[in-house]
Structure formats: structure tokens, C-alpha cells
Amino acid sequence: MKSGGYSIVLFPGDGTGPEVLREGRKVLDALAEGGPAPWRLDERPGGARHYQETGREVEPESLDAARKADAILLGAVGWPGVSLPSGDIAGAALVLGLRQSLDLFANVRPCRLYPGVVHKISGDFRQVWSPEKVDFVILRENTEDLYAPLHGRLTRANETELAVDTRVITRKGAERIIRKAYELARTRARGAPEDGVRRLTCVDKSNVLEGCRFFRETFDRVGAEYPDIERDYAYVDAFTQWVVRNPERYNVVVTTNMMGDIITDLASVLQGGMGFAAGGNIGAEHAMFEPVHGSAPKHAGRNDVNPFATFFALEMLLRWIAERHHDPSLERQAARLESAIGKVLRAGTARTYDQGGTVSTTGAGDRVAEAVRAEAA
Ligand code: IPM
Ligand code: MN
């Protein structure tokens, strides 16, 4: 354990972001009971509402704290009608800005259906997919592609003639996310649920796009160093149907930024919806974890959204710090949290409206905090 504890900067953000992060804090507090807390929490304002009030999306000293922190936890940003002069969502500084400035090149998004959770494919809570068939991770490149800040308009006589978004795929960018994906595939000893194969799937549109051809070439070149990992390929359009029809085939998936943005939302349907989808934005030196869902303005203040994505984000956060600092006690805390989450989900005692239940956000947080206490430290 680090003396003084690991510093975790929290940005609750907008809408339901503060509601789910409040439950996250509750769960962290439960984990820390009975001893000195292994972490220090440093909560900071930021987002669209903050921009509305101050003209700044986030305070410079908060960005400084985030840069110095051991890890960052983000709630959600965005509010209807509030945007930046550029047209970007206000609060983007906390998402896109930190991804760029801290070079968080890997967006790691696990997709796993836990026993007791109902996937959202049919919309009527019938169970089509069983939990043991949905267990893969999508790695989304997080700093380039269409998200590279190379956009522009050509305006003549006050009229837009042309708008351009430049798709950038670099050798460095492709190589590092692909390498991370092969490494991850190596650590997943169980492989794909279908056949136990340690498969890595490259999702692209290399039948059309040059950047994707380069990405796939890089995938093959780096793959030569990983003969133990099966190389698999899917065009993104075909992947969208295969992943729904046959999710058990997938183990680790690697793709470019924008395609990763889209297919991870799609895949969340297999894991019970966006209420369960967590992601880690991970670089060489920094990392930021978040529930993938947005600020859900319609639900803000109603205390009814599903906080489990935040609990999973916290589990990822603890594991990342534990690995980086070779801290087995923190690793045990992460395992304890995972076990507590799994028990509550299996028992079905914390189902929020999106799972057909009536439990509140606070209620779901209480159940997980109780389960954490009951779980041996
Ligand atoms: C995500 C979000 C962001 C993205 C938005 C909020 C800019 O959709 O994290 O998936 O497009 O990456
Ligand atoms: Mn998205």
C-alpha cells in the first residue's frame, strides 16, 4: 500500500453522473471500512453545467490534480442545449480532452453477461443468451482515427461549402493498441466461450478504407510475435450481426476509434444494456475509468438509473492501480468487489427499472455496499 493512499480524482460531471458516482463512493467506503483507507478521494467539478456557470468546462487545477492522480473516475458529461462554440458537447474536455492530453490510447470495454442479468436484445426480458456465452473484451483505439482533432469547414460568403473530418491511422497508434490486445488475449486463459480458443478479432473495413488496410497489416505484423493467439478478421458491418448471433465466438476484439465507439454500444445490449457497460481509458502512465453511458438528462434527479456500470468501472480502476503498483492487497479488494457485485446480481435484489425492477440507484448501491461488508476482506 502506498503511504498516504492512492489518489483517485473523481469527476461526477452532469445529470446522472453524480448519482452513480455517489454510489461508487459508498461502495469504496464500504471496502475501506475497518482500516486506513488505501485511497484518497478528490472530487472535482466539471462538465456542461459547470461550463454554463463559469465559462470553463473544468478548472485548470483540477486537470492538474487529474494528471498527478493514481487514477481518475469519470461520471458522465453533457447537457441538452449546452455546447461549446466549436459545436462539441460541453464537458468534452473531460472525455476527449483527457484521452488526448494524458495519451489514454486504449479504451478497454469488457462485455460480459453476469448470471442474474437479462440482456436487452428482445426488449421483453426473455433470456435468449445465457451468461456463459457472453464474455469478451473490445479494445478501442482512443486517440486518433476520426477523433483526431483535424476537422474543418470551407466557408464562402458565409455559407458552408465543405466539411471535412480527417481519418488518421498512424503506425504508432495502431501498433500500441494492437499489441495491447494480443497481450490481453494472452492473459485470458479461458479464451472464447465457444471453443476455448485464445482468439483475437480485428474489426475493420479494410475492403474499402486505406487506414483499415494499414490497421490490418499492423495486426498481422504484430501478430507474428504472438503465434499462440488465433488471428480472426471481421468487416465491421458483418461484425455487427455476428456478435449478436454468435457472441460466444468472441474473446478479444480490437478496432479503431469510431468503429469501437459504435460496436461497444451495440455489444452492451448483450450484457444487459448500457447500465452495465464500463470502460477504462488506459495509457502508459495514466488511466481514467467510467461508466460508458451518458448523463441521461431525462433521468437526472430521479435516483432511478442503474449504477452497476460505475461499480464495474471501480473494479477495473482498482485492478489497474494494483497491477501498476504490484499491490496484492488492492488486487484482493478488487476481487472482493467483483465477488460482491456478482452475488448481488445473481440474487436479483438490486434490479433497477432498466432490468424490469423497482430498486432505486441508492438502493442498488446499498445492496452492493452490504455485500462488500459481508465479503471477507
Ligand atoms: C464514449 C462516448 C464519447 C465518445 C463521447 C461522449 C464524446 O460516446 O465514450 O463512447 O464518442 O467517445
Ligand atoms: Mn460512445
Side-chain angles (χ1 to χ4, degrees), residues 89 95-96 99 109 140 147 261 290 292:
I89 65 160
V95 190
L96 305 178
R99 286 177 187 167
R109 296 187 164 178
R140 162 189 177 190
Y147 282 68
D261 181 38
E290 53 177 339
V292 179

Side-chain angles (χ1 to χ4, degrees), residues 169-223:
I169 307 292
T170 68
R171 178 182 291 271
K172 175 179 174 179
E175 201 169 305
R176 62 186 180 176
I177 188 72
I178 287 167
R179 192 169 290 285
K180 194 171 178 77
Y182 278 109
E183 292 292 336
L184 178 65
R186 261 195 185 158
T187 66
R188 288 174 55 93
R190 273 181 305 179
E194 181 173 76
D195 49 13
V197 170
R198 291 192 194 185
R199 178 173 297 117
L200 174 61
T201 306
C202 179
V203 170
D204 60 48
K205 190 73 184 174
S206 57
N207 48 346
V208 179
L209 300 175
E210 199 55 46
C212 281
R213 281 193 274 275
F214 186 43
F215 194 81
R216 195 181 272 209
E217 279 164 31
T218 309
F219 178 77
D220 284 334
R221 178 168 52 79
V222 175

Side-chain angles (χ1 to χ4, degrees), residues 10 13 20 37 54 101 148 151 198 204 211 223 237 259 267 277 285 290 365:
L10 287 80
V20 293
T54 66
S101 65
H151 327 277
R198 291 192 194 185
D204 60 48
D237 48 348
M259 289 176 190
E285 304 293 334
E290 53 177 339

Side-chain angles (χ1 to χ4, degrees), residues 99 107 109 140 147 258 260-262 264-265 274 292-293:
R99 286 177 187 167
N107 198 326
R109 296 187 164 178
R140 162 189 177 190
Y147 282 68
M258 181 89 200
D261 181 38
I262 297 166
T264 52
D265 270 27
M274 294 294 278
V292 179
H293 61 71

